[in-house]
Amino acid sequence: MPGRKASKPKNITAIETNNRPDEWRIEQGMAGAKLPIIDQTHKPTTFIHPVDPSPPGIKDAEAIEAVGDRKKLFAREIKGWEGYVEWENYPEKKAKAHKILTSQTFPPIPDYMTGPIPGTNPVLPGEDFKAWHRAIGGELTDVPDSSWDTVLKEKHKDMLHLLQFPYNGEPPKRLVTAKSITPNPLHFVRNHGGIPLIDKDKWSLTLDGLVANPKKYTLDDIMDESRFPQIEEYVTIQCSGTRRIEQIALYGGQGDEVPQAPWAEGAIGTAKYRGISLKKLIKDCGGLINGGKHLELYGAETYFKDLNAMNYLVSVPWSKVKANEVLLAWEMNDEPLPKIHGFPLRVVVLGYIGARSVKWLYRIKAIENPSIAPVQSREYLYFNQQVGKHNQRPTDGIQIQEMPVSSAIMSPWSKHVIIHNGKINCKGWAYSGGGRWPERVELSADGGFSWYEVPQENMSKKGRWTWRTWEIDLPCDVEGWIEIVCRCWDSALNTQPLTVRSAWNWGLHVTHSAHRISVYSINKTRPRTKERLALLEKLNIPLAPITRYEVVPTMTDQEIEKYWEKHEPRDADNY
Amino acid sequence: MPGRKASKPKNITAIETNNRPDEWRIEQGMAGAKLPIIDQTHKPTTFIHPVDPSPPGIKDAEAIEAVGDRKKLFAREIKGWEGYVEWENYPEKKAKAHKILTSQTFPPIPDYMTGPIPGTNPVLPGEDFKAWHRAIGGELTDVPDSSWDTVLKEKHKDMLHLLQFPYNGEPPKRLVTAKSITPNPLHFVRNHGGIPLIDKDKWSLTLDGLVANPKKYTLDDIMDESRFPQIEEYVTIQCSGTRRIEQIALYGGQGDEVPQAPWAEGAIGTAKYRGISLKKLIKDCGGLINGGKHLELYGAETYFKDLNAMNYLVSVPWSKVKANEVLLAWEMNDEPLPKIHGFPLRVVVLGYIGARSVKWLYRIKAIENPSIAPVQSREYLYFNQQVGKHNQRPTDGIQIQEMPVSSAIMSPWSKHVIIHNGKINCKGWAYSGGGRWPERVELSADGGFSWYEVPQENMSKKGRWTWRTWEIDLPCDVEGWIEIVCRCWDSALNTQPLTVRSAWNWGLHVTHSAHRISVYSINKTRPRTKERLALLEKLNIPLAPITRYEVVPTMTDQEIEKYWEKHEPRDADNY
């Protein structure tokens, strides 16, 4: 694997710090990736220093050449399906792609786990994924550029692009809960590959595997109301990476961009979908046979895991399908599915992690056991805390299906300074998966000690599969920095753990602890505060930022002397 | 005050976020100073945006000119006392300096409270203090440059320079507790002004105010053993700003560089001082008279507060002096006092905050009440948490005298990754002021739940006025991120609050909460971890940084399938 090979780590026995200009930042844990590993398993202690990743562009040209003509090998699978390469039917093709990817080195991933998160938009570029597409070539060559074009066409101009390719984006905080139903251009996107551009008239869906009568459906077939009753359902879809930035800020995980994209609170959205129940289609194929118990869902995008190319595959259990909780949808908020959301047909699994709601669906295969494909069996795992980089096994993790109860504050933001009259206005969302709904939302202005319920009239409508947006005027007497905390109780009375630590896991999934923000409270109901604000206004001295020192003493020397005349002195004498 | 004037703050009613490339960072509280203040005291809510500080270099040249000849006005006070300007005897001179400073604008202070701490050494430059010196001119003109020369001559090359001028510096962590007695070049320095360079033969000390017989002493007088018995004392001096970076990381304060320098854990040091008890000198002057109860101590450096120039003045109560706990010292670790530490004579107040141990001492004045000078009455105040920028009064703060019990971990550092056999080696210091000493030091590897005592034989010698350094092999079974916490119990059984929040105050002083670091534990006593490390070594895959993803799956698809054959499926059926 030349892409991961590196020079032998050098061990030295003393830490050299002189001539390291950012020594102080490093010592304070602000540049963890620059630190050596300390080996205390023997005496003397040794230090294993970080090794730079292999430079990109190292190539075994001969080996790559020997693979064959990439244009032919990795050609478009079906006419009218731009960007779609079929992998699952061709193990040999997979092997060839793997050979190409392991015969060269690729751009390293920026260290956003223990280094600074880039102050750019897109935050992360996804250069490795782009390079893998181009290295495979053929139909994948233009996918990174074409996908970005689709982002710019379909998504709101203010989206926060966490990862340019494969595209991961969320709305800015002020827009996440601006409406209780998310407009399509603002709905978060968490793609695992490029966006296939599919001609709906050329599209078809294969249903095979352990069903009595395997069939192929056109879009017209599926939309034929005389065959399949249509369903309209309001559904919140949430990525299990939502609020991951809080875990990253506490402790880093393995910094792979796609599995561990640094989401804020916006990787959640609510839309009305129109489609049919997958159950009806299974019935139409004569039902499951020979132990068929899971439905494997195939997406047309190309995903990469451990330098292997594949289509996007996950599965859902028949029990979920049977309950009519797995939809095949072609409409989102009364419009045809946007291309970026899976046009022409996607899966929408009610109350499950977003990763199961496969886009660009082209095949459903009935199988006996849950999919062994990496997205199902190696990712979206919720590890226990004793699992780390060097002892984790995929089977240690709980495969994430239903999402637990969660909530987030969308306004104010951490580090906001708020002038108020004893109440601070807060807004946000709350959600619970699995058909449970937010029954109560509570906020605390004292770090989670005293809680105030959001008035029911300030919460958006209940729904079995949807979030609720909320608003509260939160009582706050305190002057200075406070911690506002938000938690939800769902219809089964589940609530959220109180600290990020309690939720932290090596995979950095499911940050569902109570959401905490620090804000600075200026309580104008206090006479002294009110007076001071009036004085600063009179002197035309700006209020913001509050961290700037102002040369306007609050007491004269005479006032200080007068105070001490009337009060006990600083240092006690014998009583 | 043109230095602080600014254009009228503009109020707008909507937050514009488009075209702000670092929107995501801002929303996550990583650039607080860019946020508007939210005014919720009326409807609709308005936003008060940060205003840039006045650009430096705006000057009312005429007003400055009218003050007079700066060379003459601000000349050297005494021959042989380079850099010493007397302010306290000349109120008119003070007024003229104030006029000069308020007739122009100066470089703004970098935002290190809510913005990034610079990754440079010096961390902060102190451009405003430098500019104030140059604006006053005369004897102060060359002080910034000459002081830095002294730093480079007298301090260890690896010092972390927190603030270049006035000089504030501390040793890097590996050197803070390398020896239980701090070598002079490594002793922290927290200066409030430039370094006066005083010819010891020209030096004298005036003792006046409320004493029977005011006198003037030469250094020979003071060192004359036939008049004053000499004392050798090991003393730990600590700045009340020690570990302030932990408060800053949580919540910012007013970001004035000198009062709120961003110290790490090294603003503490221990040395042997030789000198005399100030009590003997008071007696030599016939004792206190007319209600004299405090000793005001004058340092020759020039300090600035609210654009006023002054000498460095603080006071100590007679009760402290009477107990022989206030020394006048000329030797530090068997050498003449370094220039940067107060040559030729400094005060050393045992068990008090370092701010009372005045350097370049030239006058002691017996007074009735504690000093009204700003360092005593307006700074080094420990506010309660209901005191913030807009309601603080200096009299709300406890003037800091004795330092409370505290401790810190010097090794490992936050974000270190440690391979170990079930125990992690930790080192650090512990200290308590006021003549109390560390009696027990305890560490926790689980965030402060279970505590282990440092074996007494691993602690340095006890002393009434000194810290103790310590070392422990801390049991740790956990794999992954842990939080190591350290706390001390002093001889009076005082211990430390457990969280930074409990110690936080607007002045950002006295960060004496239990010291916490996050490290990643790789426990090699676990077979699976050991195996994996061996495999990575065999494959020549670097261990550091651990946040880099490695393409070496821990299980094959076959192993995953085998696991699920033997275990209950992910999703439950009816029992």
Side-chain angles (χ1 to χ4, degrees), chain A residues 17 174 306 389 548-549, chain B residues 17 174 306 389 548-549:
Chain A
T17 62
R174 78 196 148 90
D306 297 344
K389 178 160 186 172
R548 194 182 299 151
Y549 181 68
Chain B
T17 62
R174 78 197 148 92
D306 295 345
K389 176 159 186 172
R548 194 180 299 151
Y549 181 69

Side-chain angles (χ1 to χ4, degrees), chain B residues 462-488:
Chain B
K462 277 185 200 178
R464 268 196 75 196
W465 308 108
T466 49
W467 71 3
R468 298 178 80 178
T469 57
W470 51 262
E471 179 168 1
I472 187 176
D473 287 318
L474 179 65
C476 172
D477 177 72
V478 168
E479 181 87 12
W481 288 105
I482 61 167
E483 195 162 282
I484 300 181
V485 196
C486 160
R487 70 176 176 189
C488 173

Side-chain angles (χ1 to χ4, degrees), chain A residues 206-211 214-215 285 295 298 363-367:
Chain A
T206 300
L207 212 165
D208 61 359
L210 305 175
V211 288
K215 284 191 184 173
C285 291
L295 287 310
Y298 288 57
R363 183 181 177 190
I364 297 173
K365 186 179 173 188
I367 55 178

Side-chain angles (χ1 to χ4, degrees), chain B residues 60-70 100:
Chain B
D60 183 345
E62 212 173 311
I64 296 170
E65 187 75 15
V67 166
D69 181 351
R70 294 182 293 148
I100 289 172

Side-chain angles (χ1 to χ4, degrees), chain A residues 17 20-35 111 114-117, chain B residues 25 30 111-112 114-124 160-162 170 172-173 245 262-265 413-416:
Chain A
T17 62
R20 197 158 70 171
D22 53 348
E23 175 66 20
W24 181 86
R25 281 179 58 85
I26 294 170
E27 292 194 1
Q28 289 308 315
M30 297 175 191
K34 294 188 182 184
L35 288 175
D111 170 37
T114 51
I117 303 240
Chain B
R25 281 179 58 85
M30 297 175 193
D111 170 38
Y112 62 97
T114 49
I117 304 241
T120 52
N121 194 19
V123 178
L124 300 171
L160 305 180
H161 312 301
L162 293 185
E170 64 185 310
K173 290 201 204 214
I245 184 60
W263 292 104
E265 309 83 7
W413 310 342
S414 235
K415 303 303 174 194
H416 259 144

Side-chain angles (χ1 to χ4, degrees), chain A residues 66-81:
Chain A
V67 166
D69 181 350
R70 293 181 294 146
K71 268 195 185 158
K72 279 188 198 161
L73 280 169
F74 311 114
R76 185 177 302 180
E77 180 72 12
I78 303 174
K79 214 179 144 190
W81 295 48

